[in-house]
PDB file of all heavy atoms in Angstrom:
ATOM      1  N   ARG A 214     -11.868  -2.420  84.250  1.00 97.00           N
ATOM      2  CA  ARG A 214     -11.945  -3.809  83.767  1.00 97.00           C
ATOM      3  C   ARG A 214     -13.370  -4.326  83.704  1.00 97.00           C
ATOM      4  O   ARG A 214     -13.655  -5.301  83.007  1.00 97.00           O
ATOM      5  CB  ARG A 214     -11.128  -4.725  84.686  1.00 97.00           C
ATOM      6  CG  ARG A 214      -9.654  -4.382  84.800  1.00 97.00           C
ATOM      7  CD  ARG A 214      -9.002  -5.248  85.850  1.00 97.00           C
ATOM      8  NE  ARG A 214      -9.648  -5.063  87.157  1.00 97.00           N
ATOM      9  CZ  ARG A 214      -9.430  -5.826  88.214  1.00 97.00           C
ATOM     10  NH1 ARG A 214      -8.603  -6.852  88.134  1.00 97.00           N
ATOM     11  NH2 ARG A 214     -10.058  -5.580  89.361  1.00 97.00           N
ATOM     12  N   PHE A 215     -14.258  -3.695  84.447  1.00 98.00           N
ATOM     13  CA  PHE A 215     -15.611  -4.200  84.625  1.00 98.00           C
ATOM     14  C   PHE A 215     -16.329  -4.420  83.296  1.00 98.00           C
ATOM     15  O   PHE A 215     -16.888  -5.485  83.041  1.00 98.00           O
ATOM     16  CB  PHE A 215     -16.400  -3.224  85.508  1.00 98.00           C
ATOM     17  CG  PHE A 215     -17.854  -3.530  85.640  1.00 98.00           C
ATOM     18  CD1 PHE A 215     -18.302  -4.500  86.531  1.00 98.00           C
ATOM     19  CD2 PHE A 215     -18.788  -2.833  84.884  1.00 98.00           C
ATOM     20  CE1 PHE A 215     -19.656  -4.775  86.659  1.00 98.00           C
ATOM     21  CE2 PHE A 215     -20.146  -3.098  85.007  1.00 98.00           C
ATOM     22  CZ  PHE A 215     -20.577  -4.073  85.893  1.00 98.00           C
ATOM     23  N   LYS A 216     -16.333  -3.433  82.428  1.00 98.00           N
ATOM     24  CA  LYS A 216     -17.096  -3.524  81.183  1.00 98.00           C
ATOM     25  C   LYS A 216     -16.603  -4.640  80.280  1.00 98.00           C
ATOM     26  O   LYS A 216     -17.393  -5.262  79.554  1.00 98.00           O
ATOM     27  CB  LYS A 216     -17.080  -2.185  80.447  1.00 98.00           C
ATOM     28  CG  LYS A 216     -15.712  -1.622  80.161  1.00 98.00           C
ATOM     29  CD  LYS A 216     -15.831  -0.242  79.522  1.00 98.00           C
ATOM     30  CE  LYS A 216     -14.482   0.443  79.349  1.00 98.00           C
ATOM     31  NZ  LYS A 216     -13.888   0.813  80.658  1.00 98.00           N
ATOM     32  N   TYR A 217     -15.309  -4.939  80.321  1.00 98.00           N
ATOM     33  CA  TYR A 217     -14.765  -5.996  79.475  1.00 98.00           C
ATOM     34  C   TYR A 217     -15.142  -7.382  80.020  1.00 98.00           C
ATOM     35  O   TYR A 217     -15.478  -8.291  79.260  1.00 98.00           O
ATOM     36  CB  TYR A 217     -13.246  -5.858  79.376  1.00 98.00           C
ATOM     37  CG  TYR A 217     -12.807  -4.542  78.784  1.00 98.00           C
ATOM     38  CD1 TYR A 217     -12.138  -3.597  79.556  1.00 98.00           C
ATOM     39  CD2 TYR A 217     -13.087  -4.230  77.461  1.00 98.00           C
ATOM     40  CE1 TYR A 217     -11.746  -2.375  79.029  1.00 98.00           C
ATOM     41  CE2 TYR A 217     -12.689  -3.006  76.908  1.00 98.00           C
ATOM     42  CZ  TYR A 217     -12.028  -2.084  77.694  1.00 98.00           C
ATOM     43  OH  TYR A 217     -11.653  -0.875  77.160  1.00 98.00           O
ATOM     44  N   ILE A 218     -15.096  -7.529  81.330  1.00 98.00           N
ATOM     45  CA  ILE A 218     -15.478  -8.804  81.941  1.00 98.00           C
ATOM     46  C   ILE A 218     -16.960  -9.081  81.694  1.00 98.00           C
ATOM     47  O   ILE A 218     -17.347 -10.190  81.316  1.00 98.00           O
ATOM     48  CB  ILE A 218     -15.176  -8.781  83.458  1.00 98.00           C
ATOM     49  CG1 ILE A 218     -13.672  -8.631  83.689  1.00 98.00           C
ATOM     50  CG2 ILE A 218     -15.699 -10.051  84.122  1.00 98.00           C
ATOM     51  CD1 ILE A 218     -13.301  -8.418  85.151  1.00 98.00           C
ATOM     52  N   VAL A 219     -17.793  -8.059  81.875  1.00 98.00           N
ATOM     53  CA  VAL A 219     -19.230  -8.233  81.686  1.00 98.00           C
ATOM     54  C   VAL A 219     -19.547  -8.542  80.219  1.00 98.00           C
ATOM     55  O   VAL A 219     -20.385  -9.402  79.923  1.00 98.00           O
ATOM     56  CB  VAL A 219     -19.990  -6.984  82.165  1.00 98.00           C
ATOM     57  CG1 VAL A 219     -21.459  -7.085  81.829  1.00 98.00           C
ATOM     58  CG2 VAL A 219     -19.810  -6.802  83.666  1.00 98.00           C
ATOM     59  N   THR A 220     -18.900  -7.863  79.302  1.00 98.00           N
ATOM     60  CA  THR A 220     -19.121  -8.126  77.877  1.00 98.00           C
ATOM     61  C   THR A 220     -18.764  -9.565  77.535  1.00 98.00           C
ATOM     62  O   THR A 220     -19.500 -10.241  76.794  1.00 98.00           O
ATOM     63  CB  THR A 220     -18.295  -7.158  77.017  1.00 98.00           C
ATOM     64  OG1 THR A 220     -18.717  -5.816  77.273  1.00 98.00           O
ATOM     65  CG2 THR A 220     -18.459  -7.462  75.532  1.00 98.00           C
ATOM     66  N   ALA A 221     -17.657 -10.058  78.080  1.00 98.00           N
ATOM     67  CA  ALA A 221     -17.267 -11.448  77.849  1.00 98.00           C
ATOM     68  C   ALA A 221     -18.313 -12.409  78.411  1.00 98.00           C
ATOM     69  O   ALA A 221     -18.612 -13.453  77.794  1.00 98.00           O
ATOM     70  CB  ALA A 221     -15.902 -11.721  78.475  1.00 98.00           C
ATOM     71  N   MET A 222     -18.895 -12.074  79.563  1.00 98.00           N
ATOM     72  CA  MET A 222     -19.936 -12.926  80.150  1.00 98.00           C
ATOM     73  C   MET A 222     -21.185 -12.968  79.277  1.00 98.00           C
ATOM     74  O   MET A 222     -21.797 -14.025  79.097  1.00 98.00           O
ATOM     75  CB  MET A 222     -20.288 -12.420  81.555  1.00 98.00           C
ATOM     76  CG  MET A 222     -19.186 -12.596  82.565  1.00 98.00           C
ATOM     77  SD  MET A 222     -19.564 -11.790  84.145  1.00 98.00           S
ATOM     78  CE  MET A 222     -21.005 -12.702  84.659  1.00 98.00           C
ATOM     79  N   VAL A 223     -21.575 -11.824  78.728  1.00 98.00           N
ATOM     80  CA  VAL A 223     -22.746 -11.779  77.853  1.00 98.00           C
ATOM     81  C   VAL A 223     -22.512 -12.642  76.610  1.00 98.00           C
ATOM     82  O   VAL A 223     -23.377 -13.439  76.210  1.00 98.00           O
ATOM     83  CB  VAL A 223     -23.070 -10.323  77.448  1.00 98.00           C
ATOM     84  CG1 VAL A 223     -24.144 -10.290  76.365  1.00 98.00           C
ATOM     85  CG2 VAL A 223     -23.525  -9.525  78.662  1.00 98.00           C
ATOM     86  N   ILE A 224     -21.347 -12.503  76.004  1.00 98.00           N
ATOM     87  CA  ILE A 224     -21.032 -13.290  74.806  1.00 98.00           C
ATOM     88  C   ILE A 224     -21.011 -14.777  75.126  1.00 98.00           C
ATOM     89  O   ILE A 224     -21.557 -15.607  74.381  1.00 98.00           O
ATOM     90  CB  ILE A 224     -19.685 -12.831  74.211  1.00 98.00           C
ATOM     91  CG1 ILE A 224     -19.801 -11.395  73.688  1.00 98.00           C
ATOM     92  CG2 ILE A 224     -19.235 -13.776  73.095  1.00 98.00           C
ATOM     93  CD1 ILE A 224     -18.478 -10.777  73.276  1.00 98.00           C
ATOM     94  N   LEU A 225     -20.380 -15.143  76.253  1.00 98.00           N
ATOM     95  CA  LEU A 225     -20.342 -16.551  76.659  1.00 98.00           C
ATOM     96  C   LEU A 225     -21.745 -17.097  76.865  1.00 98.00           C
ATOM     97  O   LEU A 225     -22.058 -18.212  76.410  1.00 98.00           O
ATOM     98  CB  LEU A 225     -19.534 -16.691  77.955  1.00 98.00           C
ATOM     99  CG  LEU A 225     -19.530 -18.080  78.596  1.00 98.00           C
ATOM    100  CD1 LEU A 225     -18.881 -19.110  77.667  1.00 98.00           C
ATOM    101  CD2 LEU A 225     -18.804 -18.049  79.942  1.00 98.00           C
ATOM    102  N   GLN A 226     -22.591 -16.329  77.505  1.00 98.00           N
ATOM    103  CA  GLN A 226     -23.959 -16.781  77.768  1.00 98.00           C
ATOM    104  C   GLN A 226     -24.726 -17.002  76.465  1.00 98.00           C
ATOM    105  O   GLN A 226     -25.481 -17.975  76.324  1.00 98.00           O
ATOM    106  CB  GLN A 226     -24.675 -15.766  78.660  1.00 98.00           C
ATOM    107  CG  GLN A 226     -26.057 -16.181  79.101  1.00 98.00           C
ATOM    108  CD  GLN A 226     -26.068 -17.307  80.113  1.00 98.00           C
ATOM    109  OE1 GLN A 226     -25.345 -18.293  79.984  1.00 98.00           O
ATOM    110  NE2 GLN A 226     -26.905 -17.185  81.124  1.00 98.00           N
ATOM    111  N   LEU A 227     -24.538 -16.152  75.495  1.00 97.00           N
ATOM    112  CA  LEU A 227     -25.219 -16.306  74.219  1.00 97.00           C
ATOM    113  C   LEU A 227     -24.690 -17.507  73.439  1.00 97.00           C
ATOM    114  O   LEU A 227     -25.444 -18.194  72.737  1.00 97.00           O
ATOM    115  CB  LEU A 227     -25.091 -15.026  73.394  1.00 97.00           C
ATOM    116  CG  LEU A 227     -25.793 -13.797  73.976  1.00 97.00           C
ATOM    117  CD1 LEU A 227     -25.590 -12.582  73.088  1.00 97.00           C
ATOM    118  CD2 LEU A 227     -27.283 -14.065  74.183  1.00 97.00           C
ATOM    119  N   LEU A 228     -23.397 -17.778  73.562  1.00 98.00           N
ATOM    120  CA  LEU A 228     -22.834 -18.965  72.906  1.00 98.00           C
ATOM    121  C   LEU A 228     -23.406 -20.241  73.505  1.00 98.00           C
ATOM    122  O   LEU A 228     -23.765 -21.184  72.780  1.00 98.00           O
ATOM    123  CB  LEU A 228     -21.307 -18.958  73.037  1.00 98.00           C
ATOM    124  CG  LEU A 228     -20.555 -17.901  72.216  1.00 98.00           C
ATOM    125  CD1 LEU A 228     -19.065 -17.912  72.576  1.00 98.00           C
ATOM    126  CD2 LEU A 228     -20.746 -18.153  70.721  1.00 98.00           C
ATOM    127  N   VAL A 229     -23.506 -20.292  74.835  1.00 98.00           N
ATOM    128  CA  VAL A 229     -24.091 -21.462  75.488  1.00 98.00           C
ATOM    129  C   VAL A 229     -25.573 -21.563  75.151  1.00 98.00           C
ATOM    130  O   VAL A 229     -26.107 -22.660  74.940  1.00 98.00           O
ATOM    131  CB  VAL A 229     -23.873 -21.395  77.017  1.00 98.00           C
ATOM    132  CG1 VAL A 229     -24.553 -22.574  77.714  1.00 98.00           C
ATOM    133  CG2 VAL A 229     -22.393 -21.372  77.347  1.00 98.00           C
ATOM    134  N   CYS A 230     -26.232 -20.433  75.082  1.00 97.00           N
ATOM    135  CA  CYS A 230     -27.646 -20.395  74.702  1.00 97.00           C
ATOM    136  C   CYS A 230     -27.839 -21.038  73.322  1.00 97.00           C
ATOM    137  O   CYS A 230     -28.756 -21.846  73.121  1.00 97.00           O
ATOM    138  CB  CYS A 230     -28.129 -18.950  74.691  1.00 97.00           C
ATOM    139  SG  CYS A 230     -29.787 -18.711  74.049  1.00 97.00           S
ATOM    140  N   TYR A 231     -26.986 -20.710  72.376  1.00 97.00           N
ATOM    141  CA  TYR A 231     -27.064 -21.298  71.035  1.00 97.00           C
ATOM    142  C   TYR A 231     -26.847 -22.817  71.101  1.00 97.00           C
ATOM    143  O   TYR A 231     -27.536 -23.589  70.417  1.00 97.00           O
ATOM    144  CB  TYR A 231     -26.020 -20.663  70.126  1.00 97.00           C
ATOM    145  CG  TYR A 231     -25.978 -21.257  68.740  1.00 97.00           C
ATOM    146  CD1 TYR A 231     -26.921 -20.886  67.780  1.00 97.00           C
ATOM    147  CD2 TYR A 231     -25.008 -22.194  68.384  1.00 97.00           C
ATOM    148  CE1 TYR A 231     -26.898 -21.434  66.506  1.00 97.00           C
ATOM    149  CE2 TYR A 231     -24.969 -22.741  67.120  1.00 97.00           C
ATOM    150  CZ  TYR A 231     -25.925 -22.364  66.178  1.00 97.00           C
ATOM    151  OH  TYR A 231     -25.901 -22.919  64.923  1.00 97.00           O
ATOM    152  N   ALA A 232     -25.931 -23.246  71.944  1.00 97.00           N
ATOM    153  CA  ALA A 232     -25.648 -24.681  72.073  1.00 97.00           C
ATOM    154  C   ALA A 232     -26.812 -25.441  72.689  1.00 97.00           C
ATOM    155  O   ALA A 232     -26.937 -26.658  72.483  1.00 97.00           O
ATOM    156  CB  ALA A 232     -24.397 -24.883  72.910  1.00 97.00           C
TER     157      ALA A 232
END
Side-chain angles (χ1 to χ4, degrees):
R214 301 173 301 169
F215 173 81
K216 55 184 174 292
Y217 300 112
I218 297 172
V219 173
T220 298
M222 292 172 63
V223 171
I224 294 171
L225 173 63
Q226 185 71 316
L227 295 179
L228 290 173
V229 177
C230 173
Y231 177 79

